[in-house]
């Protein structure tokens, strides 16, 4: 069809004989069929409809205006007949097309058309668990094998659980290191919580309290989780890091159970050749409290590095500080309605990041949080 023939009059197209009318409509029909073939979606179908049946400037309207209305009396009959035929045929074609698009058959065909099966596939790399997660899994396996179970608690805590119930009253000096990261949150009614009513927990120890509130002895749990402190970031500090808390409470748990459990864990985790030692320490919620060390994993506890130099990791001290622990202070039982006369137990709190760094020879804690695939890929 001459392009846009419907925009011209028959006279302008040189149509003067009625025999010329049918071929003109045949061209229009060919064009319509081709356009409709190309409509594969509801969208393109709608464009087709507007283009051909649109009331103001659709092809059919213009054919009516330019060809039929302006036809000479001799041609009018032939044009009217052809136009009706064309309209009927177009409607039937469109109906069939609409049904095909709606049933989805059209989409499938067009999608199939687009897929080039000879192209190489897209290989999506499969991720792996973060080293911290893997280390927790190792630690969990060890403790689960000796009867501990895993519990969790909230990262946003109240000062009661983070401090008071752990025998750390307001104004106690040990709060100085931790008294930080208070948060405001909206309550259910939309009001803000009072200043100082909530904070990001500074250790996993509040979950000791939450567990004992919920559960009668015997208790044997470990608690993995994130904790937050006002530490400036450097190779060994981060404002957020991971701890694993441990708590065991029962009738007649002794200091020997405590040391035996911890030594068992450390030897499972680092290997049977490490030596261990306890040093006296202080935590308000344990009594006695200890700091637990292992012989330096890097120099085998000799204090010497390669070629006789001082070991850079333990600085020649032969020992590496691992974590804090102790026998649960009887005062803590008072906060959870446990009978301090009948019960005893121990607790520990280990830095998971630190345990991972020691075992896997990582010298910058920040590597855990930078999401650098080159680092993460080393621990598939
Ligand atoms: N919560 C202590 C800390 O973060 C560690 C600890 C846990 C000490 C349990 C004793 C018992 O420093």
């Amino acid at each position: 069809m001459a392009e846009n023939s419907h925009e011209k009059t028959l006279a302008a197209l040189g149509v003067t004989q009625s025999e010329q009318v049918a071929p003109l409509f045949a061209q229009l029909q060919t064009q319509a069929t081709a356009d409709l073939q190309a409509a594969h979606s509801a969208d393109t179908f709608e464009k087709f409809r507007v283009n051909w049946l649109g009331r103001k400037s659709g092809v059919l309207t213009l054919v009516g205006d330019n060809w039929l209305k302006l036809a000479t009396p001799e041609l009018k009959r032939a044009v009217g007949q052809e136009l009706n035929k064309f309209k009927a045929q177009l409607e039937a074609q469109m109906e069939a097309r609409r049904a095909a698009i709606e049933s989805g058959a059209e989409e499938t065909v067009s999608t199939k058309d687009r897929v080039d099966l000879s192209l190489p596939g897209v290989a999506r790399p499969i991720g792996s668990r973060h080293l911290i997660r893997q280390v927790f899994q190792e630690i969990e396996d060890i403790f689960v094998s000796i009867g501990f179970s895993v519990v969790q608690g909230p990262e946003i805590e109240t000062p009661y659980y983070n401090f008071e119930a752990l025998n750390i009253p307001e104004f106690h000096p040990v709060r100085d290191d931790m008294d930080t990261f208070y948060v405001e949150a909206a309550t259910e009614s939309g009001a803000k919580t009072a200043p100082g009513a909530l904070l990001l927990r500074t250790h996993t120890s509040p979950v000791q309290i939450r567990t004992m509130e919920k559960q009668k002895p015997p208790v044997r749990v470990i608690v993995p989780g994130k904790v937050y402190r006002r530490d400036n970031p450097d190779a060994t500090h981060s404002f957020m890091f991971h701890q694993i808390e441990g708590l065991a409470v029962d009738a007649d748990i002794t200091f020997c159970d405590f040391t035996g459990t911890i030594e068992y864990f450390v030897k499972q985790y680092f290997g049977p050749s490490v030596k261990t030692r306890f040093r006296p320490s202080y935590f308000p919620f344990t009594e006695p409290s200890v700091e637990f060390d292992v012989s330096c994993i890097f120099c085998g506890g000799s204090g010497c590095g390669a070629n006789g130099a001082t070991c850079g990791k333990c600085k020649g001290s032969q020992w590496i500080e691992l974590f804090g622990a102790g026998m649960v202070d009887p005062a803590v039982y008072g906060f959870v309605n446990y009978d301090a006369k009948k019960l005893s137990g121990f607790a520990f709190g280990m830095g998971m990041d630190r345990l991972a760094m020691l075992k896997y020879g990582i010298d910058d804690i920040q590597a855990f949080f930078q999401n650098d695939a080159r680092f993460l890929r080393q621990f598939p």
Side-chain angles (χ1 to χ4, degrees):
M1 153 175 118
E3 254 273 21
N4 301 337
S5 60
H6 54 279
E7 287 171 359
K8 303 187 177 125
T9 62
L10 292 179
L13 291 166
V15 175
T16 50
Q17 312 286 313
S18 53
E19 301 86 60
Q20 289 174 283
V21 172
L24 196 57
F25 274 95
Q27 284 172 348
L28 209 54
Q29 179 64 58
T30 310
Q31 182 66 40
T33 307
D35 282 9
L36 195 55
Q37 287 294 327
H40 292 294
S41 64
D43 254 17
T44 45
F45 180 85
E46 177 58 14
K47 280 201 190 102
F48 175 88
R49 196 194 61 74
V50 170
N51 202 21
W52 285 83
L53 303 185
R55 226 178 253 196
K56 248 177 76 191
S57 52
V59 175
L60 274 190
T61 305
L62 294 182
V63 166
D65 290 350
N66 295 333
W67 295 2
L68 186 63
K69 280 189 198 152
L70 301 178
T72 57
E74 305 85 72
L75 290 183
K76 203 154 223 160
R77 198 180 137 86
V79 174
Q81 272 178 356
E82 286 298 326
L83 181 55
N84 282 341
K85 250 183 20 201
F86 174 64
K87 253 193 214 161
Q89 197 166 345
L90 188 60
E91 271 161 23
Q93 276 180 313
M94 284 176 66
E95 204 34 58
R97 196 73 183 164
R98 183 201 304 279
I101 289 173
E102 275 170 11
S103 72
E106 263 313 308
E107 299 275 7
T108 321
V109 171
S110 68
T111 314
K112 240 195 239 150
D113 284 348
R114 283 201 303 272
V115 173
D116 180 350
L117 295 175
S118 67
L119 285 173
V122 179
R124 295 188 196 284
I126 298 174
S128 58
R129 278 178 302 170
H130 193 280
L131 184 59
I132 293 290
R133 191 39 50 200
Q134 294 180 33
V135 163
F136 172 64
Q137 198 74 49
E138 285 179 46
I139 297 173
E140 179 186 10
D141 287 347
I142 297 168
F143 279 105
V144 165
S145 77
I146 52 173
F148 282 73
S149 49
V150 180
V151 297
Q152 294 195 332
E155 283 169 38
I156 298 179
E157 265 298 2
T158 61
Y160 175 78
Y161 285 106
N162 199 76
F163 298 124
E164 274 109 75
L166 288 162
N167 203 28
I168 313 176
E170 210 175 351
F171 308 119
H172 192 293
V174 301
R175 279 205 196 191
D176 291 353
D177 282 347
M178 310 194 185
D179 214 358
T180 179
F181 284 140
Y182 285 89
V183 293
E184 263 182 10
T187 59
E188 264 172 40
S189 64
K192 287 259 172 72
T193 50
L198 292 173
L199 78 167
L200 298 181
R201 68 180 175 193
T202 60
H203 49 182
T204 41
S205 302
V207 192
Q208 289 189 30
I209 306 299
R210 290 183 177 276
T211 305
M212 289 190 279
E213 275 182 350
K214 267 192 236 135
Q215 165 181 349
K216 290 209 162 34
V219 170
R220 257 180 225 95
V221 293
I222 54 168
V223 188
K226 294 189 170 73
V227 301
Y228 301 82
R229 288 194 199 169
R230 191 198 48 197
D231 282 335
N232 288 323
D234 63 19
T236 52
H237 293 88
S238 164
F239 62 86
M240 186 279 295
F241 57 100
H242 300 82
Q243 282 191 329
I244 296 188
E245 191 82 7
L247 175 70
V249 179
D250 202 349
D252 57 50
I253 287 191
T254 66
F255 199 83
C256 282
D257 297 317
F258 167 47
T259 54
T261 305
I262 287 192
E263 272 191 41
Y264 173 78
F265 160 70
V266 169
K267 295 204 159 155
Q268 290 289 311
Y269 183 75
F270 285 114
S273 59
V274 290
K275 292 195 281 296
T276 57
R277 77 172 182 190
F278 290 92
R279 279 178 299 118
S281 183
Y282 172 75
F283 300 100
F285 40 94
T286 47
E287 182 61 36
S289 301
V290 301
E291 207 65 56
F292 184 76
D293 300 345
V294 280
S295 51
C296 178
I297 293 122
F298 301 97
C299 63
S302 68
C304 300
N307 55 45
T310 309
C311 170
K313 300 291 179 175
C314 64
K315 312 231 161 38
S317 76
Q318 307 175 0
W319 295 96
I320 289 200
E321 188 180 311
L322 260 198
F323 53 83
M327 300 302 286
V328 177
D329 192 309
V332 172
Y333 296 131
F335 288 95
V336 294
N337 288 326
Y338 271 23
D339 188 342
K341 293 213 177 63
K342 296 205 181 117
L343 294 167
S344 55
F346 60 85
F348 53 86
M350 332 194 259
M352 215 180 327
D353 317 75
R354 189 168 161 71
L355 285 174
M357 289 165 76
L358 288 172
K359 182 153 173 180
Y360 293 96
I362 294 157
D363 48 23
D364 188 352
I365 192 174
Q366 305 299 333
F368 292 135
F369 312 124
Q370 284 161 344
N371 277 343
D372 187 333
R374 291 168 302 181
F375 171 74
L376 299 172
R377 245 185 251 125
Q378 294 172 52
F379 309 99

